[in-house]
């Protein structure tokens, strides 16, 4: 177990040549002395004209330990690199993933697609506890895909495979169950249309932002086509239930798990 600290700045040496390394080495020494749980410190360098640090625009410079940390969740071990998404509140993530599992109705015959899979934490948790026939994860961050593959191997989940691929263009057979955990803006219209064409029996939608989740669920359930417009087509779904999980206590933010059943 350990804590990875990532400090993002707009320049490697903001106060002159070598200044960044000296300042980070000083910080690393203080962290080692005062915060024993911190095992890694990474400096991220993101140009000032970029709104949000991301893998394509940020350089990572390890200053203490490896640029990753190890943690446990629902009986599984995970190795997580600095660019890879992982729930920050692991105690409540246990409850979140348990809710997703219970609502999924996943069984041994299912073929599961894990969309926006990150390090594979939701899908691997589901595979460990429900034993589906196959688990296929899709993610666009290369380091996260590499982490997911390592985590599957380390935990002995032989039915899992993970791919770096555009989610709306993914082709990997026919899923019976789709688990999707998109970023705050929700799923693209193209992905919603693809899910309706694929017509899995069940969709479990995990979200940190209920507004886009409600929008996407409405699009999956809608059977009407506006005049002069081409409807999404494909299967129609019914919203069977929504379960909120308080991932961020004392804030207005929640996670929500929705279950959609094909009609």
């Amino acid at each position: 177990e350990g804590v990875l600290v990532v400090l993002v700045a707009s320049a490697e040496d903001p106060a002159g040549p070598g200044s960044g390394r000296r300042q980070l080495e000083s910080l690393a020494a203080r962290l080692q002395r005062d915060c024993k749980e911190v095992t890694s410190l990474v400096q991220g360098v993101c140009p000032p004209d970029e709104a949000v640090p991301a893998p394509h625009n940020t350089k990572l410079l390890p200053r203490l330990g490896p640029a990753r940390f190890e943690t446990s969740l629902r009986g599984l071990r995970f190795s997580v690199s600095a660019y890879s998404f992982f729930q920050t509140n692991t105690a409540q993530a246990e409850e979140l993933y348990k809710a997703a599992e219970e609502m999924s109705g996943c069984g041994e015959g299912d073929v599961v697609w894990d969309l926006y899979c990150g390090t594979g934490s939701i899908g691997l948790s589901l595979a460990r506890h429900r034993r589906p026939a196959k688990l296929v994860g899709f993610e666009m961050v290369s380091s996260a895909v590499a982490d997911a593959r390592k985590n599957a191997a380390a935990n002995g989940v032989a039915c899992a495979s993970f791919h770096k691929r555009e989610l709306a263009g993914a082709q990997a057979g026919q899923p019976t169950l789709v688990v999707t955990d998109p970023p705050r803006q929700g799923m693209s219209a193209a992905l919603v249309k693809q899910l309706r064409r694929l017509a899995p029996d069940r969709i479990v939608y995990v979200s940190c932002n209920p507004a886009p989740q409600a929008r996407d669920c409405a699009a999956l359930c809608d059977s009407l086509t506006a005049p002069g417009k081409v409807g999404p087509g494909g299967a129609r779904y019914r919203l069977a239930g929504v379960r909120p999980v308080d991932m961020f206590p004392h804030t207005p933010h929640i996670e929500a798990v929705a279950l959609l059943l094909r009609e």
Side-chain angles (χ1 to χ4, degrees):
E1 298 290 330
V3 174
L4 166 65
V5 176
V6 181
L7 182 63
V8 179
S10 60
E12 182 175 347
D13 297 304
S19 62
R21 176 177 292 276
R22 290 192 299 272
Q23 291 171 339
L24 269 293
E25 286 176 349
S26 174
L27 177 59
R30 292 172 60 187
L31 288 173
Q32 287 180 300
R33 183 190 68 208
D34 300 332
C35 305
K36 302 298 184 183
E37 67 274 20
V38 173
T39 55
S40 300
L41 172 64
V42 175
Q43 180 185 9
V45 181
C46 179
D49 57 344
E50 296 284 353
V52 178
H56 70 275
N57 64 25
T58 305
K59 179 171 65 172
L60 293 183
L61 303 169
R63 298 303 190 190
L64 169 68
R68 62 176 54 249
F69 69 97
E70 308 286 330
T71 191
S72 298
L73 189 61
R74 300 204 74 207
L76 297 163
R77 290 289 299 172
F78 290 96
S79 177
V80 184
S81 56
Y83 273 139
S84 302
F85 174 80
F86 199 83
Q87 293 287 351
T88 55
N89 186 341
T90 52
Q92 279 299 88
E94 295 259 353
E95 300 302 317
L96 180 70
Y97 293 177
K98 191 183 301 181
E101 176 195 328
E102 291 172 352
M103 295 177 73
S104 73
C106 182
E108 294 184 356
D110 274 310
V111 175
V112 182
W113 279 22
D114 184 5
L115 307 185
Y116 307 93
C117 66
T119 57
S121 55
I122 296 180
L124 292 175
S125 172
L126 196 62
R128 166 60 64 86
H129 293 277
R130 292 298 181 106
R131 307 290 182 183
K134 191 174 185 181
L135 168 66
V136 185
F138 299 98
E139 172 62 60
M140 285 304 297
V141 178
S142 299
S143 61
V145 175
D147 287 345
R149 290 170 178 167
K150 291 176 184 175
N151 292 330
N155 289 287
V157 183
C159 69
S161 63
F162 295 93
H163 309 273
K164 183 180 184 236
R165 195 171 299 173
E166 287 285 353
L167 303 175
Q171 298 294 330
Q174 178 65 40
T176 58
L177 168 63
V178 168
V179 179
T180 180
D181 185 10
R184 291 191 61 81
Q185 64 265 34
M187 297 191 296
S188 68
L191 180 55
V192 170
K193 289 180 180 180
Q194 185 185 8
L195 288 178
R196 292 190 66 162
R197 288 193 299 267
L198 286 167
D201 297 332
R202 287 146 289 145
I203 299 173
V204 174
Y205 191 142
V206 182
S207 175
C208 61
N209 192 351
Q213 183 184 40
R215 177 201 66 206
D216 295 342
C217 287
L220 287 163
C221 296
D222 181 25
S223 64
L224 301 177
T225 301
K229 301 290 184 180
V230 177
R236 181 186 180 188
Y237 286 84
R238 172 175 62 87
L239 183 62
V242 180
R243 189 181 302 182
V245 178
D246 187 6
M247 291 290 291
F248 311 104
H250 308 295
T251 77
H253 302 290
I254 63 165
E255 294 261 344
V257 184
L259 172 64
L260 298 111
L261 301 177
R262 190 181 70 194
E263 290 193 329

